[in-house]
């Protein structure tokens, strides 16, 4: 009986696996041949300075709508694009769109783009960024670059140098998803980031869990001591926001302020935010 069940389960998994593998292969091929302008677009999520209650930046988030498969979640296609190398042209497309988008925003608002570790490994990311800034006539300080901790695990002197060169161009560097993966507090000091983004994992239960609250408070204190701005990600409720404010968090991002929105919706969002701000 148990044996038969085992085999049944195995066959079930095998079929599921095949399906998943097939989809993956299909997406790999599609990513190689897709017309980026037609199938991809960016959405933008505001980042709020809590002291001034002002929008300081938007994070650009990539969206893929396949003509027959429909929307593909970033968590699915980004890793495929990384494995196949498609992330290099795709990432460059993102950076160009972000540079162009800054021109539609007020001068004091920047845009953050996510960079994949592969863009450091398979591309000379520094010259790519420099070229795009020049081509699009964008001031470097309008562009923020988000990198994840996994990148820091790898080598390296080259990474160190690349990050320094990117900062020297005038762009700010944020450490994204801090606290997940193989994070180490020593990274914060070693790499001298401009910003640390605390992963939303830690915010989720901040109102209920004293441990989570203590972790966030510790990261905030340390970042402050090291002269870095903090962005608390994934703020969804007023109660979470109250706690983060009380803890001295400098910036926040999350669905409480706005979900990621289309370029066309930004002006209206900024106007509305301003209205609420002067009413408050
Ligand atoms: P991320 O860079 O940490 O981006 C934040 C993610 O949290 C986004 O998911 C955003 O929609 C989501 N989020 C923001 N506020 C809230 C909230 O209050 N509640 C909840 N539940 N979620 C919230 P998204 O857009 O699905 O992106 C997932 C990840 O995909 C990103 O995480 C980033 O690592 C990656 N990604 C997105 N766009 C790009 C890109 O252009 N290049 C690269 N390399 N990676 C990208
Ligand atoms: Mg990010
Ligand atoms: Mg993040
Ligand atoms: Mg993330």
């Amino acid at each position: 009986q148990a044996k038969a069940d085992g085999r049944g389960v195995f066959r079930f998994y095998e079929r599921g696996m095949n399906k998943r593998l097939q989809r993956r292969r299909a997406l790999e091929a599609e990513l190689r041949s897709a017309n980026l302008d037609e199938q991809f677009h960016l959405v933008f999520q505001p980042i709020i300075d809590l002291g001034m209650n002002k929008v300081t930046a938007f994070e650009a988030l990539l969206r893929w709508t396949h003509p027959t498969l429909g929307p593909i979640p970033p968590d699915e296609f980004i890793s495929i694009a990384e494995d196949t190398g498609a992330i290099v042209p795709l990432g460059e497309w993102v950076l160009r769109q972000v540079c162009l988008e800054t021109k539609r925003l007020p001068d004091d608002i920047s845009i953050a783009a996510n960079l994949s570790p592969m863009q450091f490994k398979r591309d000379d990311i520094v010259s790519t960024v420099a070229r795009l800034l020049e081509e699009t006539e964008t001031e470097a300080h309008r562009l923020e670059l988000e990198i994840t901790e996994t990148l820091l695990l790898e080598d390296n002197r080259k990474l160190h140098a690349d990050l320094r060169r990117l900062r020297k161009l005038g762009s700010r560097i944020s450490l994204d998803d801090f606290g997940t993966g193989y994070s180490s507090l020593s990274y914060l000091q070693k790499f001298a980031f401009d910003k640390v983004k605390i992963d939303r994992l830690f915010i989720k239960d901040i109102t209920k869990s004293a441990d989570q609250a203590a972790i966030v408070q510790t990261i905030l204190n340390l970042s402050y001591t090291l002269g870095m701005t903090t962005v608390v990600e994934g703020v969804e409720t007023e109660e979470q926001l109250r706690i983060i404010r009380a803890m001295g968090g400098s910036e926040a991002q999350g669905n409480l302020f706005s979900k990621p929105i289309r370029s066309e919706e930004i002006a209206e969002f900024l106007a509305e935010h301003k209205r609420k701000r002067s009413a408050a």
Side-chain angles (χ1 to χ4, degrees):
Q1 176 68 45
K3 222 173 165 186
D5 277 345
R7 261 205 304 276
V9 166
F10 175 71
R11 269 202 294 275
F12 171 77
Y13 275 129
E14 197 179 42
R15 247 200 321 258
M17 200 104 102
N18 265 329
K19 259 212 168 127
R20 246 181 301 148
L21 204 67
Q22 269 171 27
R23 178 173 161 99
R24 197 187 160 90
R25 293 283 174 263
L27 294 182
E28 282 175 6
E30 296 289 333
L31 274 173
R32 259 194 296 274
S33 61
N35 178 327
L36 301 184
D37 288 324
E38 277 169 18
Q39 297 191 20
F40 288 85
H41 71 274
L42 293 176
V43 287
F44 302 88
Q45 189 176 37
I47 299 174
I48 314 288
D49 178 300
L50 296 179
M52 299 185 294
N53 188 21
K54 205 186 150 303
V55 177
T56 59
F58 285 87
E59 177 175 6
L61 295 158
L62 190 55
R63 294 291 178 265
W64 183 15
T65 313
H66 186 272
T68 56
L69 298 171
I72 318 281
D75 287 328
E76 183 177 13
F77 77 77
I78 296 283
S79 73
I80 298 176
E82 286 178 332
D83 293 346
T84 61
I87 195 71
V88 172
L90 194 54
E92 183 169 335
W93 183 88
V94 168
L95 286 167
R96 180 187 298 277
Q97 302 304 312
V98 163
C99 288
L100 294 173
E101 188 68 33
T102 60
K103 297 176 193 309
R104 300 186 201 114
L105 293 179
D107 288 340
D108 58 348
I109 298 182
S110 53
I111 306 187
N114 291 284
L115 288 185
S116 156
M118 284 298 157
Q119 290 173 273
F120 286 82
K121 274 185 244 166
R122 298 205 191 178
D123 183 29
D124 179 7
I125 186 68
V126 186
S127 21
T128 299
V129 168
R131 173 168 50 79
L132 288 172
L133 289 171
E134 199 178 306
E135 273 175 27
T136 60
E137 297 178 352
T138 306
E139 289 179 287
H141 72 88
R142 304 291 301 281
L143 178 66
E144 292 178 22
L145 301 167
E146 298 191 0
I147 68 160
T148 53
E149 289 169 327
T150 41
L151 186 64
L152 306 179
L153 286 175
E154 330 218 338
D155 61 74
N156 96 58
R157 229 168 284 148
K158 178 177 175 293
L159 170 67
H160 231 105
D162 280 353
L163 290 178
R164 242 198 326 267
R165 284 164 67 210
L166 286 171
R167 286 184 93 200
K168 216 165 166 195
L169 287 178
S171 292
R172 274 164 296 171
I173 314 283
S174 306
L175 181 56
D176 202 359
D177 301 345
F178 186 74
T180 63
Y182 303 89
S183 42
S184 150
L185 293 178
S186 68
Y187 290 147
L188 290 183
Q189 194 191 11
K190 216 157 88 192
F191 287 89
F193 293 98
D194 300 283
K195 278 191 185 182
V196 181
K197 301 189 77 172
I198 304 175
D199 196 80
R200 68 182 149 92
L201 192 83
F202 297 102
I203 313 312
K204 224 175 111 254
D205 297 320
I206 200 173
T207 55
K208 284 166 280 174
S209 157
D211 288 353
Q212 302 269 296
I215 290 171
V216 172
Q217 182 72 73
T218 302
I219 302 171
L220 289 175
N221 292 347
L222 182 69
S223 308
Y224 179 79
T225 305
L226 296 173
M228 287 177 286
T229 308
T230 43
V231 182
V232 177
E233 298 191 272
V235 180
E236 293 181 346
T237 68
E238 290 288 353
E239 203 184 349
Q240 290 170 338
L241 179 61
R242 233 183 346 264
I243 293 178
I244 292 155
R245 273 187 197 283
M247 287 180 167
S250 38
E251 296 183 4
Q253 174 180 357
N255 294 347
L256 175 65
F257 303 103
S258 169
K259 293 198 162 149
I261 55 177
R262 292 244 186 190
S263 170
E264 310 86 77
E265 300 170 296
I266 290 181
E268 171 60 28
F269 170 82
L270 288 174
E272 176 69 21
H273 183 83
K274 219 171 183 174
R275 258 196 308 276
K276 281 195 211 144
R277 196 176 159 224
S278 42

